[in-house]
Amino acid sequence: MNRRSRSTVLAVALAGTLALSACVKNSESSDDAIKVTSTADGCEVSAAKADSGTITFDVTNEGDKVTEFYLLDSDKLRIIGEVENIAPGTSRGLTVQAQPGDYFTECKPGMVGDGVGNAKFTVSGDDLAVDEDEQKAIDAAVASYTAYTKDQVAELVTNVDDFVAAYTSGDDDTARRLFPITRINYERIEPTAEQFGDLDPKIDYRKPGAEAENLPFTGFHRIEMDLWLDEAKTNYPDEKLSALDDTGRKELGEQLVTDIKALYDKVHSADFVLTIGDITNGSIGLLDEVAAPDGKLPGEEDEFSHTDLYDFYANVEGAKVAYDSVREIAAGKGAEGKQLVGDLDRQFAAMFALLETHGDYEQGFVSYDTVRQPQRNELGAQLNALSEPLSQLTHTVLGVSKS
Amino acid sequence: MTGGRLSRRSALGLIGAAGAVGVTGGFAAGAARDDDAEPQESVVPFHGKHQSGITTRVQQHLYFASFDMTSTATREDLKSLLADWTDAAARLTQGREVTTEGATGGGPYKPPDDTGEALGLEPNALTITFGFGPTLFAADRFGLEKKRPKELVELPSFAFELLEDRFSGGDLCIQACADDPQVAVHAIRNLSRIAFGRAQVRWTQLGYGRTSTTSKSQSTPRNLFGFKDGTANVFSNDDSDLATWVWADGSDQPWLAGGSFLVARKIQMLIESWDRVRLEEQEAIVGRDKGRGAPLSGGSEFTEPDFDVVSTAARGPAIPMDSHVRLAHPTQNGGARMLRRGYNYVEGNNDLGQLNAGLFFLAFVRSPEQFVGVQRSLAKDSLNEYIRHIGSAIFAVPGGIRAGESIGSGLF
């Protein structure tokens, strides 16, 4: 299972951990730099702790694939700083302004899939003064969230490979188990993926949506329909649905792998630019995905597998990461900002806590068709409680002057 | 969430220049006139001894909402919600937007505070009335066990009920009445939004076409069976009847002084079956003449029914023993009366092509026993063949407030 998929976003202990102005310097190396050695399956860091302030990592690639190095926040999701495209045999530097807190380091040989050598990294010492220059803070937030998006898609590439491999080989049990897990990366960044209007319909359209737009029904939900065929026959009793043969499965699987690879290329291209508004609006957009009439809350997203709670949780995680990216900026906007951040911290924590009463990624979430209406109403009420303050975030970040 | 968007200060009852709409005309009670001649108050005062929306002239449209507090809501959440609702209601009933920033003044980057669909509409006599359900007072919830009026308990079961949870119950209710449906819907929509994180809508009911009147100056309207309804209502100008049958005196719970109990029943009417009933039988079932509304014992609409009159045509009592008027009449129920404010509803058709329509019955009573007694009498009502009660709720309606006070603050 995907390690990062298992991790739980911590709703506390985030204050003061924002690292500002993460930047990459080429082949700059100094005696103070922390040495990082990336190999085929390891990520050795010469120190596990540092004092707050400027920290430089000097990353050397001793493996045989292009690699990356990350400094991750305590939730293991948000990227504080990263350095990409380190060719075999070369080294590059990463400099971050780090606040005290717990972080994680890891490398990613081959630049796709899960990272390796994940290790705890502790920063102690005094809090750094928050940068007065708001533009710098915004740039850092955008850099951090953009890196996060790329990382999620990179993980998605290998997770989809595994899922499709199980499906095309006829290992239905494994494919059914991997289906909701594989979707986690996608669901965390859904509004971003949906920017690519040609790809999302192929990857994530539901059957009624594809038919309404006269598109071939492909992607995750087409495979879902094949894997949970009995349920599909119940939902669409008027249609003659039959199991796909090996060729049909192969075509469907290859299509999904191709489309996900295309998504990877798009988010890793130089044209891929996100703004601070994309991030804050994307955050509320993720929750809208949950509440929509064909979304997770009504149980329409995964109408055959009933794995909607995985998607629900991942959407909220994605919204939380987007929020965390701009949290310090919002908190700096006077009393209004402080109040909003307080509300959002509390409501995100309550949302996760409520969702976790229904399971988690590791143990599995309960099948959503067993979640009765009063419990769904409770989820809906908490979703409203979170969405209302979150809808103020763009205004607070962009529309309120610092006081 | 603390609802900090609402400024307490803004709710002190001052009508801002933009929202200033005068109260037009005096209201001379007593003289019987038809609706056209009636003064249409555009603003009904929100503050007063009683909540507005009870004896207020019955407006043309209703939007009613029942809410549940969220599972994580605290006593403090309830208190702040009632304060925020009070502030917003005071503004909305004056025809103002829900906050000073309103629908367009909050800047381009955030969703507007006010949803905006009532912009440019007059206040349309909007009233907003709040009530508290029995579940709000349950042990281990908000520490209100000792504040529960002893009569505030779930209604008992009655004959001919097919109650559904999705139309029943609730911790809190809001009745919004106005002469424009959009104004009533706007009020509930914005109040629901203020509640997110503290309370969530449980069910709502849209009503059109009042089916009763609170003064003889309003003509008696007709229900969907085509009969005049509410002829024998408690009227707003009869202080003695109101004191006897509507207003609670607070001897049980001081916070309820000047308040009342609200019984809400969603009554489905089997329209197609009724429409196939011959006129003579329709009139016998109701006990009134369909055209004029007079009791079958003779006279005009407001003539008291005489249950002793015998008719040779009917070969028995002129007002049949199992007629609605006889069984519901105060003389048959220890004198019990109610102030009714019901509305018709039509919600399209069901899968069988039948109308989903009926009466959303609302009655204000000093004691729920008034309703319970009458409803038990109606077990023999021949009208039962054509109606089913499908929703049910009861609420304690606190008394009115002065400017600066909060609805229900006596609970805390």
Side-chain angles (χ1 to χ4, degrees), chain A residues 269-308:
Chain A
S269 88
D271 299 339
F272 179 64
V273 176
L274 292 171
T275 67
I276 196 83
D278 289 337
I279 297 171
T280 53
N281 292 325
S283 186
I284 190 74
L286 277 158
L287 300 190
D288 292 343
E289 298 276 352
V290 180
D294 51 357
K296 290 84 186 178
L297 193 59
E300 291 293 322
E301 176 74 19
D302 300 309
E303 61 168 327
F304 311 116
S305 63
H306 303 301
T307 54
D308 307 80

Side-chain angles (χ1 to χ4, degrees), chain B residues 349-404:
Chain B
N349 293 71
N350 67 18
D351 293 343
L352 303 170
Q354 300 162 326
L355 262 187
N356 266 336
L359 171 68
F360 188 60
F361 172 96
L362 291 172
F364 290 89
V365 287
R366 179 189 169 100
S367 161
E369 266 310 304
Q370 293 160 241
F371 172 79
V372 171
V374 172
Q375 193 57 35
R376 287 210 165 115
S377 299
L378 293 176
K380 294 172 290 191
D381 189 352
S382 51
L383 191 60
N384 286 330
E385 193 176 333
Y386 301 96
I387 60 173
R388 293 291 181 278
H389 288 232
I390 57 175
S392 178
I394 183 166
F395 303 94
V397 175
I401 55 167
R402 286 192 292 261

Side-chain angles (χ1 to χ4, degrees), chain A residues 336 339 343 346-347 354 377-378 380-382 384-385 388-389 391-392 394-395 398-399, chain B residues 1-5 70-72 106-111 113 193 196-200:
Chain A
E336 183 177 333
Q339 158 128 24
D343 276 353
R346 198 161 52 250
Q347 298 298 355
L354 181 60
N377 290 355
E378 196 175 32
Q382 182 53 43
N384 277 332
E388 279 289 317
S391 72
Q392 306 288 323
T394 302
H395 170 76
L398 290 175
Chain B
M1 181 165 158
T2 59
R5 276 182 286 142
T70 59
S71 56
T72 53
Y109 295 126
K110 72 170 182 178
D113 286 351
R193 194 172 173 212
F196 285 144
R198 293 176 286 186
Q200 177 92 336

Side-chain angles (χ1 to χ4, degrees), chain A residues 191-232:
Chain A
T192 305
E194 287 175 356
Q195 284 181 3
F196 306 114
D198 53 335
L199 284 176
D200 184 61
K202 295 183 193 171
I203 295 170
D204 198 36
Y205 258 30
R206 299 186 49 251
K207 179 174 155 67
E211 287 172 355
E213 293 182 29
N214 218 5
L215 297 168
F217 180 33
T218 61
F220 280 119
H221 294 300
R222 178 64 187 90
I223 297 177
E224 180 198 2
M225 187 167 86
D226 198 38
L227 286 170
W228 281 271
L229 194 63
D230 287 346
E231 196 74 1

